[in-house]
Amino acid sequence: MLSIKNLHAGVEEKEILKGLNLEVKPGEVHAIMGPNGAGKSSLASVLSGRPNYEVTQGSVTLDGKDLLDMSPEDRAREGVFLAFQYPIEIPGVSNINFLKTALNEIRTYKGLEPLSAKEFLALSKEKQKLVEFDAKLVNRSLNEGFSGGEKKRNEIFQLAMLEPKLSILDETDSGLDIDALRIVSRGVNKLRSDKNAFIIITHYQRLLDYIVPDFVHVLSDGKIVKTGDKNLALELEEKGYDWIREEAIH
Amino acid sequence: MIMINQLETPLYESIAAKFEIASLQSSSEALQALRREAFNIFKTLGFPSIRNEEWKYTNILPFLKEDYELDVIPQELTPEEFGKTAALVAHHLEELQQSLKGEQKGAYRLVTVNGKINAELSVLPAPELLRILPFAQAEQEPAFLANFGKIATLKDNALVALNTALYNDGLYIEAPKGSVLDKPLHLVNVLLAGGPVFVQPRHLVVIQPNASVEIIETTISDDAGHALFVNGVTEIAVGENAHFHHYDIQTGRKGMRFVQRVEATQQKHSNYSNYTFTLPGTDLVRNNLVLHLNAPELESHLYGLYLSADRQLVDNHTEVHHKYPHGESNQLYKGVLLDQSKAVFNGKIYVYQDAQKTNAFQQSNNILFSEKASVNAKPQLEIFADDVKCSHGTTIGQINKDALFYLQTRGIGEQRARNMMVNAFAFDVTEKVKIPALRTYLEKLIAAKMDNA
């Protein structure tokens, strides 16, 4: 599904990703862990098309299509979803109208009819229930005055509504208490299928107790330096990152 | 004298000639004296230049160079003119109706053509609800005598003076005591002219005690393209416990220049709310909105939204005079500037010595969409009472790029995302519009302009 080859990218002349390779197949969940400054969030930014990032080398394709050539909105329409580490508050834009606009733009792109108000409402109710999202929040301004946990849950609700092929969760666990973490994880687990894939960026192993990954990658200095299964995350939790860095050097 | 240069312009010569004619129109000696006084003030001051602090950022002199006719004598429309007017009004209403579907309870309609009431195209409320008269028939009304020329400030105001000296006829609107207008009145000002004209529209609105009225003003003209300079004056008297919601929707076209002074007095427990929306089109817009809070315990709301484009200049000057205790005024002006447009916001709040326990708030926020657009914003507070709450704030910024990106990552196209952001920015003002259909209409106007931006 997603194929990243020798990706070099950075911000303002500063190279952050230095030759990153990653293959993600449908149905898989990949966790990306690593120390601060390794380039985890930069990877999320590059994949979603954040404007100030520049790709200097390498390629990224989604089902064979060149992702790097596309605008952020076209990437989303092709099925890439980024759950933000810090979701943006937009006062005056209602959550529900925003989602309706987004969903219908994606449908139009795919050559599908826009959903009627009634169909949209039914879908929204179904997904709210699935990911346990508070109906009161749906009608408010987008993320305005939401708690940290509510914002993250809204990201998962959007994910559920837009049904992307590839979801990138950028430190979705940061700032969540244990209850919110459980709810968010339950939501993601319900949305997993053999047709979609997830990249979960996290500092901590605890999220991976709830969302069990197929692969765990360690990102260090802009490259994936080690790949393993879920047990690698436990090992990292125990030993920290230094041993991997040393291993990579030797 | 500062008039030297202006005296030599053809416009000044025709102003002097026009005054001779206009001064014969008023029936009473008092009104003739007022015209003379006003004309003398104008002669002394001349058109304001940028040396005048009040006009520092708005130079109207380049807009006066056209070969203006000073008059469109309001006479009976020819069948051809009537047809043209009817078509303009119909087209204008159709645009409005688009947004009125489903939620339309309707509005009364008052159509004026070059200041003259056109009964045929109007749908007027019963006189028990609202009295609408041309000045010629209103000059002996007690409320006319009590208010006309007594609210708008002549001193140091050349353009008010010019209007007062030269106005032809005007519109007198009076809400009788205790009357509650069940639907808004849509006032459609139609301007028809065969060439460049400089006109002086004049309104007097009197809301008697306990009455309540909503008025929506729009101005339309033909697309002939020639210059139209509108120098309007509206005087408003809001009586005790009366409510007046006043909507001014300023669209327009290239070649139109629009300067107006809306000056209001308020009595105890009254509410005057002004909503001024300026959209792209008109070359120059200068709104002077002045409120005199002449009694304690009342409230005033001033909401403004301007979306400017091309080389447009949109200038909003407000003045609120808190003269008595326990008054509340609330100002919120927001601007979105495209292209090479310029905006000015100058908000003055005066809290007089006796006006204790005043609450006066003012906020002005602007977004620049282009590096060539600019804003001059200037809050001015003069407070002579010691127990008051006053605040003001001004921001000038660009669109939030992170928010734009966030919307795009959800599949929303950049243009659409910008529109959503502009609507969101404008929301604080548009949400204040009490008439749902009007609000929808305004949101559509904004979206349509942003789509072409």
Side-chain angles (χ1 to χ4, degrees):
Chain A
M1 177 187 280
L2 179 74
S3 175
I4 304 176
K5 293 203 170 85
N6 190 33
L7 182 63
H8 290 255
V11 178
E12 289 168 6
E13 314 276 299
K14 186 176 176 253
E15 191 171 54
I16 299 169
L17 300 179
K18 303 171 180 173
L20 188 141
N21 294 290
L22 183 66
E23 294 288 328
V24 179
K25 295 192 177 64
E28 293 178 349
V29 173
H30 291 246
I32 293 185
M33 303 181 72
N36 287 327
K40 299 190 299 295
S41 285
S42 294
L43 175 61
S45 293
V46 170
L47 292 179
S48 56
R50 193 181 277 277
N52 46 343
Y53 280 82
E54 202 188 336
V55 175
T56 49
Q57 219 183 314
S59 69
V60 179
T61 58
L62 184 77
D63 290 334
K65 287 186 190 166
D66 181 0
L67 211 56
L68 299 177
D69 245 11
M70 294 179 197
S71 64
E73 55 268 36
D74 279 351
R75 297 179 196 209
R77 293 161 181 170
E78 288 288 343
V80 176
F81 182 93
L82 171 64
F84 279 56
Q85 182 177 2
Y86 302 108
I88 313 291
E89 297 192 17
I90 312 186
V93 171
S94 97
N95 216 357
I96 198 77
N97 283 340
F98 148 73
L99 261 179
K100 195 173 171 196
T101 306
L103 186 64
N104 282 336
E105 287 225 0
I106 291 171
R107 289 181 65 88
T108 306
Y109 181 82
K110 290 178 176 166
L112 301 168
E113 286 288 307
L115 290 186
S116 70
K118 200 176 160 191
E119 290 166 328
F120 177 79
L121 201 66
L123 182 69
S124 161
K125 287 227 168 98
E126 179 200 324
K127 301 292 185 182
Q128 277 169 48
K129 210 173 152 195
L130 186 71
V131 299
E132 303 164 61
F133 191 65
D134 191 341
K136 279 199 294 277
L137 297 177
V138 172
N139 293 312
R140 295 233 312 249
S141 275
L142 183 49
N143 292 326
E144 190 188 17
F146 286 25
S147 72
E150 286 170 340
K151 283 181 186 166
K152 297 297 175 75
R153 288 166 65 177
N154 196 12
E155 297 291 284
I156 303 304
F157 173 54
Q158 292 172 28
L159 197 165
M161 288 295 289
L162 302 179
E163 298 182 316
K165 283 185 205 165
L166 175 72
S167 302
I168 305 155
L169 275 53
D170 187 7
E171 303 205 14
T172 295
D173 50 337
S174 71
L176 287 190
D177 61 30
I178 196 72
D179 292 330
L181 188 68
R182 280 198 187 116
I183 293 171
V184 163
S185 307
R186 267 206 299 269
V188 170
N189 285 330
K190 284 180 196 162
L191 297 169
R192 284 174 76 165
S193 79
D194 57 3
K195 296 200 176 52
N196 63 22
F198 288 80
I199 294 176
I200 294 172
I201 292 169
T202 180
H203 263 296
Y204 303 105
Q205 186 270 336
R206 69 172 187 167
L207 176 66
L208 306 179
D209 283 343
Y210 299 96
I211 308 172
V212 182
D214 301 301
F215 299 95
V216 174
H217 308 279
V218 179
L219 188 64
S220 177
D221 196 25
K223 276 188 281 211
I224 287 174
V225 293
K226 195 171 179 65
T227 295
D229 62 11
K230 60 182 179 182
N231 293 316
L232 177 58
L234 291 167
E235 206 175 343
L236 289 168
E237 183 78 1
E238 200 180 313
K239 299 200 218 163
Y241 290 108
D242 287 349
W243 64 280
I244 289 188
R245 264 185 266 194
E246 277 162 33
E247 204 175 71
I249 293 163
H250 296 300
Chain B
M1 250 170 110
I2 53 171
M3 279 297 295
I4 295 297
N5 291 331
Q6 295 180 12
L7 275 169
E8 290 163 3
T9 66
L11 179 58
Y12 185 79
E13 279 173 30
S14 29
I15 285 171
K18 162 72 179 159
F19 173 68
E20 297 303 322
I21 302 164
S23 59
L24 299 174
Q25 281 177 359
S26 296
S27 55
S28 74
E29 174 51 34
L31 288 175
Q32 287 176 16
L34 180 66
R35 281 190 192 267
R36 281 195 298 275
E37 182 198 350
F39 192 59
N40 284 331
I41 290 173
F42 176 73
K43 276 197 293 188
T44 313
L45 296 174
F47 286 107
S49 78
I50 53 169
R51 284 190 300 267
N52 180 331
E53 187 64 26
E54 289 294 294
W55 295 84
K56 193 172 168 186
Y57 300 108
T58 300
N59 188 1
I60 64 163
L61 299 182
F63 295 105
L64 295 170
K65 285 181 181 155
E66 319 276 343
D67 198 5
Y68 291 113
E69 285 285 335
L70 267 168
D71 218 352
V72 218
I73 301 289
Q75 54 198 355
E76 290 309 315
L77 295 177
T78 65
E80 194 194 333
E81 285 167 335
F82 179 82
K84 200 171 174 183
T85 306
L88 276 173
V89 171
H91 177 70
H92 179 55
L93 292 177
E94 201 177 297
E95 279 183 344
L96 269 159
Q97 300 294 351
Q98 288 301 320
S99 60
L100 302 184
K101 270 182 197 157
E103 48 189 334
Q104 155 79 322
K105 279 189 302 178
Y108 296 110
R109 184 164 73 236
L110 169 57
V111 176
T112 69
V113 184
N114 297 336
K116 188 181 164 71
I117 297 169
N118 189 302
E120 217 168 323
L121 294 170
S122 301
V123 183
L124 300 178
E128 307 87 81
L129 290 176
L130 200 66
R131 303 180 64 216
I132 299 169
L133 298 169
F135 278 0
Q137 289 169 38
E139 282 176 1
Q140 298 310 317
E141 293 286 331
F144 184 95
L145 293 168
N147 292 296
F148 181 78
K150 298 191 169 68
I151 299 172
T153 310
L154 284 177
K155 188 175 174 286
D156 297 331
N157 282 305
L159 290 166
V160 175
L162 183 65
N163 176 290
T164 307
L166 299 190
Y167 75 91
N168 259 323
D169 197 355
L171 200 56
Y172 175 71
I173 299 177
E174 183 189 350
K177 207 169 172 177
S179 68
V180 175
L181 196 61
D182 57 335
K183 291 186 283 194
L185 174 72
H186 178 196
L187 169 54
V188 187
N189 299 301
V190 184
L191 295 173
L192 280 189
V197 291
F198 188 116
V199 291
Q200 325 283 338
R202 181 109 192 180
H203 300 333
L204 172 61
V205 182
V206 178
I207 314 295
Q208 298 286 12
N210 301 316
S212 174
V213 174
E214 291 175 306
I215 292 180
I216 305 164
E217 270 194 70
T218 58
T219 299
I220 53 176
S221 84
D222 50 13
D223 285 329
H226 47 247
L228 277 176
F229 198 112
V230 178
N231 174 36
V233 172
T234 298
E235 291 180 293
I236 298 168
V238 186
E240 215 170 287
N241 198 32
H243 293 243
F244 181 20
H245 291 274
H246 185 188
Y247 297 90
D248 192 353
I249 315 302
Q250 303 174 337
T251 55
R253 62 155 171 86
K254 276 201 170 54
M256 280 183 69
R257 296 88 199 256
F258 188 85
V259 177
Q260 71 169 350
R261 188 172 176 99
V262 175
E263 197 156 349
T265 58
Q266 282 186 247
Q267 299 305 321
K268 198 171 176 180
H269 296 156
S270 66
N271 176 344
Y272 173 72
S273 298
N274 181 289
Y275 313 74
T276 300
F277 289 82
T278 309
L279 289 136
T282 308
D283 300 335
L284 163 75
V285 175
R286 166 67 179 253
N287 293 307
N288 300 290
L289 176 59
V290 184
L291 306 186
H292 299 275
L293 313 190
N294 286 346
E297 296 167 41
L298 43 68
E299 58 181 299
S300 317
H301 302 274
L302 299 81
Y303 301 115
L305 182 72
Y306 41 94
L307 171 62
S308 59
D310 302 324
R311 292 172 171 273
Q312 206 178 9
L313 170 56
V314 179
D315 179 346
N316 280 288
H317 267 61
T318 66
E319 261 177 58
V320 180
H321 295 263
H322 282 271
K323 300 181 188 172
Y324 292 87
H326 295 283
E328 185 166 328
S329 72
N330 179 26
Q331 298 186 54
L332 177 62
Y333 274 76
K334 287 200 156 192
V336 177
L337 287 92
L338 310 172
D339 308 328
Q340 300 179 56
S341 63
K342 285 184 187 165
V344 179
F345 174 76
N346 189 311
K348 289 184 187 158
I349 300 174
Y350 297 96
V351 181
Y352 293 49
Q353 204 170 356
D354 290 339
Q356 299 294 0
K357 306 281 182 193
T358 286
N359 286 325
F361 305 108
Q362 182 190 92
Q363 184 75 34
S364 140
N365 306 110
N366 300 277
I367 301 186
L368 302 177
F369 262 83
S370 145
E371 283 175 9
K372 288 180 178 157
S374 65
V375 176
N376 287 295
K378 188 173 164 195
Q380 278 178 278
L381 276 63
E382 290 188 28
I383 302 169
F384 299 98
D386 52 18
D387 185 12
V388 300
K389 276 189 207 151
C390 293
S391 72
H392 67 88
T394 296
T395 62
I396 299 173
Q398 274 142 9
I399 196 155
N400 182 342
K401 291 210 168 73
D402 288 333
L404 197 61
F405 176 63
Y406 186 70
L407 295 175
Q408 286 178 272
T409 62
R410 300 306 184 243
I412 299 172
E414 189 179 348
Q415 188 62 53
R416 188 79 174 263
R418 276 179 198 279
N419 280 353
M420 289 174 79
M421 303 267 307
V422 166
N423 266 323
F425 174 76
F427 178 77
D428 299 339
V429 178
T430 50
E431 72 161 351
K432 300 294 191 299
V433 173
K434 300 277 189 295
I435 305 165
L438 181 61
R439 183 171 151 183
T440 309
Y441 170 68
L442 288 165
E443 285 172 352
K444 283 187 180 171
L445 279 181
I446 295 166
K449 293 299 176 190
M450 290 307 299
D451 276 341
N452 298 323

